[in-house]
Amino acid sequence: MKISIVLGTRPEIIKFSPVIRECERLGLDYFILHTGQHYSYNMDRVFFEQLELPEAKFNLDVGSGSHGEQTGKMLIGIEDVLRREVPDVVLVEGDTNTVLAGALAAVKLGIAVGHVEAGLRSYDREMPEEINRVLADHCSDLLFAPTEKSKGILLGEGISEEKVFVTGNTVVDAVCQNLEIAKRKVSVCEGLGVDDGGYFLATVHRQENVDNEGMFRGILKGLELVREEFGFPVVYPIHPRAEKQLKIFNIEVNGVKIVEPLDYLSFLQLESNARLVLTDSGGVQEEACILGVPCVTLRYNTERSETLDVGANVLAGTDPLEIVKKVGLMLNKKNCWENPFGDGKAGERIVQTLREKFG
Ligand code: UD1
Ligand code: UDP
């Protein structure tokens, strides 16, 4: 069996790390194909170094661009590599343009596609990610659903049950594998001048939020009001897309501590010690839930609805007063929910399923 792992962005590197480690442990024949969608040191290489992942065998260096341009370049590059390498299965993870290109390139060559994190739905077709995940699911041969709920969504869309495997989400594996190391190796609060449990952590990067001036200003005003109302500093490791948009809109940010994107161990520690998380990130909603940290989501919908179901998360949207209200609500709740995303063995289950299917 030969496996091709196609990845290209920060969350894919992190969430594929348990699968890669399992392939290494078992000495399987696999290779990493990096599209180069993310390329800045702190969005890409830092994760390979810190998580001690093997180098990608191929890097397409596609970089940034419009959706069509970026996806088209990836499709051409991935097809070329797959033709030469002829893997039995191509694995993609999540909902990025890299996922869409990887899945499409493989299925058109008649190569089996395995979609990790299948069956998530926001039901908002204006999100580029929703289009990517729906299309990837519907051309996959193996759908690794993180929860029974996501499996139910796939079955509801007519996908046949024998293709769907409930594995848990590999983000739990990543948290379990790295949290203790983070505790030993980094002291991020000290470096940022905040007290353990005495700050809020914010991340905002979604296209629909930061590319829209009104939405982005609303969120930043909300963060400023939250700081005033509750008295906790707000730390915001800023994604390069958001940083670029701040400059384009000429926005002056008040009352928020903006820092560069962090490496995984530092971010994990900052997240686990935060009093509360405000985010529009998918992975951060999941991690906060796993870590027992209350979350306020700066969106009007979420494909991580399990976090809402267990009471770990609430939707606030982008209105400043609503953000303050939802933070107040979450601060008054007990953090005693169950983690709905599995037991930290998703990576093992995914690889085991591949071995059973492809020998
Ligand atoms: C992408 C994914 C999004 C995911 C996010 C994870 C799609 C459609 N979107 O969004 O689902 O949540 O990654 O972080 O695939 N940039 C840099 N350095 C980099 C990468 C990007 O400076 O290494 C800047 C560029 O200005 C670029 C912008 O960020 O134009 C957006 O990058 P892009 O990869 O297109 O989308 P993301 O917003 O990162
Ligand atoms: N993350 C990180 N450093 C940061 C911000 C996030 O390592 O400064 C990690 C975070 O722990 C999570 C992942 O990046 O595992 C989430 O990625 P992102 O928010 O970019 O994308 P999304 O999950 O929304 O697709």
Side-chain angles (χ1 to χ4, degrees):
M1 170 179 66
K2 185 170 181 179
I3 306 169
S4 170
I5 294 179
V6 176
L7 50 73
T9 68
R10 170 169 73 184
E12 292 160 68
I13 303 167
I14 293 168
K15 287 179 167 175
F16 256 140
S17 65
V19 175
I20 295 170
R21 283 183 178 155
E22 184 63 3
C23 289
E24 285 283 318
R25 191 180 72 81
L26 295 169
L28 299 183
D29 183 9
Y30 82 100
F31 65 92
I32 300 172
L33 195 178
H34 195 318
T35 60
Q37 179 171 349
H38 284 179
Y39 46 84
S40 300
Y41 175 78
N42 55 16
M43 296 297 287
D44 172 26
R45 279 232 58 77
V46 66
F47 301 106
F48 278 87
E49 289 171 10
Q50 194 169 58
L51 300 173
E52 296 178 16
L53 301 175
E55 289 296 314
K57 185 168 178 186
F58 303 94
N59 192 322
L60 305 177
D61 286 323
V62 160
S64 306
S66 69
H67 285 275
E69 183 190 3
Q70 195 181 49
T71 313
K73 282 184 186 163
M74 289 178 195
L75 203 48
I76 294 168
I78 297 169
E79 181 179 69
D80 179 47
V81 171
L82 296 183
R83 272 214 170 108
R84 284 185 277 134
E85 291 286 329
V86 201
D88 297 290
V89 59
V90 168
L91 285 185
V92 291
E93 193 286 329
D95 53 22
T96 64
N97 288 342
T98 291
V99 170
L100 176 61
L104 266 185
V107 74
K108 294 218 171 210
L109 288 173
I111 299 171
V113 180
H115 187 201
V116 177
E117 211 176 58
L120 277 64
R121 295 290 181 271
S122 66
Y123 300 105
D124 176 0
R125 290 280 172 113
E126 285 183 21
M127 287 179 70
E129 292 86 356
E130 183 76 353
I131 305 296
N132 293 342
R133 56 174 88 94
V134 169
L135 294 177
D137 281 341
H138 282 265
C139 67
S140 289
D141 301 278
L142 300 159
L143 294 100
F144 299 108
T147 64
E148 288 293 338
K149 191 171 187 179
S150 40
K151 175 179 175 176
I153 288 173
L154 294 169
L155 300 189
E157 291 181 9
I159 290 173
S160 83
E161 190 161 10
E162 69 255 25
K163 289 185 180 176
V164 185
F165 303 86
V166 178
T167 57
N169 194 310
T170 59
V171 74
V172 182
D173 312 26
V175 168
C176 293
Q177 289 170 13
N178 295 294
L179 191 60
E180 281 309 309
I181 306 174
K183 278 185 188 148
R184 275 188 279 113
K185 283 201 176 168
V186 294
S187 43
V188 67
C189 291
E190 225 176 276
L192 291 170
V194 290
D195 299 329
D196 267 16
Y199 60 90
F200 294 154
L201 173 64
T203 82
V204 189
H205 77 280
R206 292 257 156 228
Q207 179 180 309
E208 68 270 22
N209 278 342
V210 303
D211 287 17
N212 177 312
E213 186 171 354
M215 300 275 219
F216 201 10
R217 281 188 187 275
I219 289 174
L220 293 167
K221 187 71 193 166
L223 298 182
E224 187 187 333
L225 294 183
V226 160
R227 194 213 178 319
E228 282 170 15
E229 178 78 17
F230 303 99
F232 289 114
V234 178
V235 182
Y236 174 11
I238 194 163
H239 187 288
R241 175 191 282 273
E243 193 175 22
K244 183 173 76 179
Q245 292 305 121
L246 270 188
K247 289 190 189 120
I248 290 173
F249 298 140
N250 199 16
I251 300 177
E252 198 190 312
V253 184
N254 298 308
V256 179
K257 196 176 176 68
I258 293 189
V259 298
E260 289 293 301
L262 295 169
D263 61 85
Y264 189 52
L265 294 183
S266 298
F267 189 80
L268 207 50
Q269 193 180 65
L270 200 62
E271 215 174 3
S272 64
N273 290 332
R275 180 68 187 82
L276 178 139
V277 164
L278 299 110
T279 192
D280 62 5
S281 156
V284 175
Q285 287 175 67
E286 291 160 349
E287 285 170 350
C289 178
I290 295 160
L291 293 164
V293 178
C295 182
V296 172
T297 290
L298 305 167
R299 289 173 47 190
Y300 293 95
N301 54 53
T302 180
E303 56 293 320
R304 271 78 180 181
S305 60
E306 293 88 345
T307 60
L308 304 177
D309 300 340
V310 298
N313 186 16
V314 68
L315 300 177
T318 62
D319 176 69
L321 295 179
E322 194 61 20
I323 294 171
V324 175
K325 195 171 129 196
K326 294 291 166 62
V327 168
L329 186 87
M330 289 310 281
L331 284 178
N332 286 322
K333 274 186 94 169
K334 280 216 170 98
N335 312 359
C336 55
W337 52 81
E338 297 253 320
N339 157 28
F341 294 115
D343 58 2
K345 293 188 166 43
E348 284 174 37
R349 283 192 195 99
I350 289 164
V351 173
Q352 183 55 31
T353 307
L354 296 180
R355 295 176 86 192
E356 283 162 19
K357 292 273 163 197
F358 301 100

